[in-house]
Amino acid sequence: MVCNMKNNNRVLAMATIGLFLILGLSEQCYGALQPGYYNQKCFITTTTGAWPLTKSQTTEVNVEATVKAAMKLAFTNDSTIAAALLRMQFHDCFVKGCDASILLDGKQSEKTATPNLSVRGYEVIDSIKKTLEKSCRQVVSCADIIVMATRDAVSLASGGKVNYGVETGRLDGKVSNASNVNLPGPTISVSDSIKAFQQKGLGVNDMVYLLGGHTVGVAHCFLFQDRLYNFNGTNKPDPTMDPMLVKELKPKCPQKLNIANTVFLDQTPSSSMVVDKAYFNQLVRKRGILKIDQDLAIARQTKDVVSQLAGGKDYEFAQKFGQAMVKLGRVEVITDTRKGEIRRSCNLKN
Ligand code: HEM
């Protein structure tokens, strides 16, 4: 950044600034996305002693450690927070980029769009933001809090096995409209899903790894009910679903439906809430819940990656999933202060 240049480069800097101004390209002093962006950015001043002998001391607040500690508490209270935040990051990043637009309140904001009505975890992000605002005002963006908190939740929900280092330095968006929410639905075809991910700069393999997020959390029965009772108007179950699974799911998702019924997306009893590769093992055994989940194991473009992950080592999934989450975190990020801001409160624009 021009604003960080050293004295010996002053002449060059002046020339560069001039050139930028002439060309009308002047970017504000805000760094690009990078690991550890908040190092040396958040300080707290404490005062001790009585006047006139007061002493003040400024200490750095470790932003990432603050988020981690908060997430540890949140996870202890409710381990389903990992699933909630994974889904939140996906829904945030896929609509106008990773800019926390999903967090904004408003009559017509993204939060009110149908796919977001079952997104959870807003209060955890708001509470981390409040804690950080107490130490350093308007330094840490809500967009970064979502990404850091999700990373920590994933680590906790994997028993420390899935760890990835995130980049930070995002700004918060100022626009949030339900009409912008165009998220893929559970019956999207693999080819259309590939297109949707490609539009966000994510490849076919990234898409498969990221859908590995369905290794935790639940789906409402009504989103896949047809697969159990009346697939494509045949009055029969979906032939791509293991008949045993159909039998197991029917009592949980009766035909006379209670709209609130849910089942685990990963049908491995011991690890339905653990971030691991078990979801992929279920897919190769025809035990995927959503149509898109199962189709990943069938479609020519994705089936090989699915079986590689299922047959591979745990650490291979951990690595691939982590890398894909970092890529997801790069989608249409705002770093220019003319286009974004650091909110004071995650649910409100400044
Ligand atoms: C083609 C892409 C995707 C589709 C069609 C899709 C669809 C869905 C649907 C229909 C549900 C159930 C929602 C409900 O019952 O209320 C769900 C849940 C979930 N999704 Fe996805 N999803 C996709 C990609 C992703 C990605 C990329 C991630 C994360 C990296 C993700 C993480 C989750 C999680 C963790 C849940 C469970 C949430 C909870 O228990 O609160 N999904 N998804």
Side-chain angles (χ1 to χ4, degrees):
M1 287 292 295
V2 175
C3 36
N4 288 340
M5 281 190 177
K6 297 242 163 65
N7 284 352
N8 55 355
N9 280 337
R10 199 174 282 157
V11 177
L12 187 65
M14 299 289 275
T16 313
I17 290 168
L19 190 65
F20 268 63
L21 287 174
I22 291 161
L23 295 173
L25 292 172
S26 63
E27 275 245 343
Q28 307 291 311
C29 289
Y30 202 89
L33 212 54
Q34 57 183 270
Y37 175 81
Y38 292 109
N39 293 345
Q40 298 290 314
K41 290 258 177 12
C42 181
F43 296 92
I44 190 162
T45 307
T46 44
T47 315
T48 49
W51 190 85
L53 299 169
T54 48
K55 265 191 186 167
S56 42
Q57 200 185 0
T58 304
T59 352
E60 188 188 351
V61 173
N62 185 327
V63 171
E64 302 224 6
T66 307
V67 175
K68 196 173 176 178
M71 280 316 299
K72 221 170 164 184
L73 263 179
F75 184 83
T76 313
N77 278 339
D78 173 14
S79 63
T80 72
I81 191 66
L85 293 188
L86 265 170
R87 187 156 181 245
M88 182 191 283
Q89 184 180 331
F90 172 52
H91 285 207
D92 183 37
C93 294
F94 250 56
V95 181
K96 288 192 104 287
C98 310
D99 68 344
S101 50
I102 193 172
L103 302 181
L104 288 174
D105 285 340
K107 265 194 180 156
Q108 305 285 324
S109 73
E110 287 176 26
K111 257 184 192 175
T112 68
T114 310
N116 287 337
L117 295 178
S118 51
V119 170
R120 304 173 296 118
Y122 296 113
E123 67 297 338
V124 172
I125 303 296
D126 288 344
S127 139
I128 295 175
K129 173 68 171 173
K130 279 193 188 120
T131 307
L132 287 167
E133 284 298 293
K134 278 184 210 152
S135 314
C136 46
R137 285 175 57 192
Q138 284 183 273
V139 171
V140 186
S141 71
C142 300
D144 280 339
I145 296 176
I146 295 179
V147 169
M148 291 186 281
T150 303
R151 179 261 321 261
D152 295 331
V154 165
S155 170
L156 290 158
S158 66
K161 288 186 183 142
V162 184
N163 296 299
Y164 54 92
V166 296
E167 297 161 333
T168 38
R170 295 166 190 80
L171 288 174
D172 298 323
K174 300 180 192 174
V175 178
S176 179
N177 282 324
S179 58
N180 290 331
V181 178
N182 183 21
L183 288 156
T187 58
I188 190 171
S189 69
V190 170
S191 332
D192 285 348
S193 185
I194 290 174
K195 279 184 210 145
F197 276 73
Q198 268 167 355
Q199 275 168 14
K200 304 290 170 190
L202 298 160
V204 184
N205 292 358
D206 296 324
M207 180 188 87
V208 177
Y209 304 146
L210 286 171
L211 267 148
H214 288 176
T215 178
V216 282
V218 296
H220 286 83
C221 293
F222 70 86
L223 294 167
F224 60 90
Q225 188 83 350
D226 58 323
R227 299 192 70 207
L228 307 181
Y229 298 100
N230 185 14
F231 185 68
N232 281 348
T234 56
N235 267 319
K236 286 189 186 138
D238 182 344
T240 68
M241 186 183 271
D242 170 13
M244 271 303 290
L245 180 61
V246 174
K247 222 172 140 189
E248 286 159 34
L249 293 178
K250 277 185 170 174
K252 294 174 187 159
C253 301
Q255 211 158 7
K256 246 187 138 205
L257 193 63
N258 176 344
I259 195 92
N261 286 16
T262 59
V263 303
F264 288 122
L265 281 159
D266 174 3
Q267 284 291 311
T268 316
S270 57
S271 79
S272 294
M273 290 308 283
V274 179
V275 175
D276 59 8
K277 73 180 185 77
Y279 157 85
F280 292 105
N281 292 75
Q282 292 292 321
L283 298 190
V284 296
R285 293 171 55 206
K286 299 171 78 174
R287 292 172 64 87
I289 295 296
L290 304 176
K291 174 95 172 52
I292 181 67
D293 292 327
Q294 194 52 60
D295 284 351
L296 291 181
I298 300 168
R300 117 194 108 70
Q301 305 100 309
T302 49
K303 64 178 174 24
D304 293 343
V305 191
V306 170
S307 28
Q308 273 162 27
L309 286 164
K313 300 261 186 273
D314 285 335
Y315 74 82
E316 284 163 354
F317 160 76
Q319 202 177 35
K320 301 246 155 52
F321 182 67
Q323 283 164 357
M325 285 300 293
V326 173
K327 279 198 190 176
L328 177 65
R330 288 180 189 147
V331 173
E332 293 158 25
V333 157
I334 310 171
T335 54
D336 181 344
T337 46
R338 289 167 302 186
K339 295 180 186 142
E341 62 187 10
I342 308 267
R343 285 180 211 149
R344 286 189 205 101
S345 175
C346 286
N347 60 334
L348 298 170
K349 273 184 281 187
N350 289 343

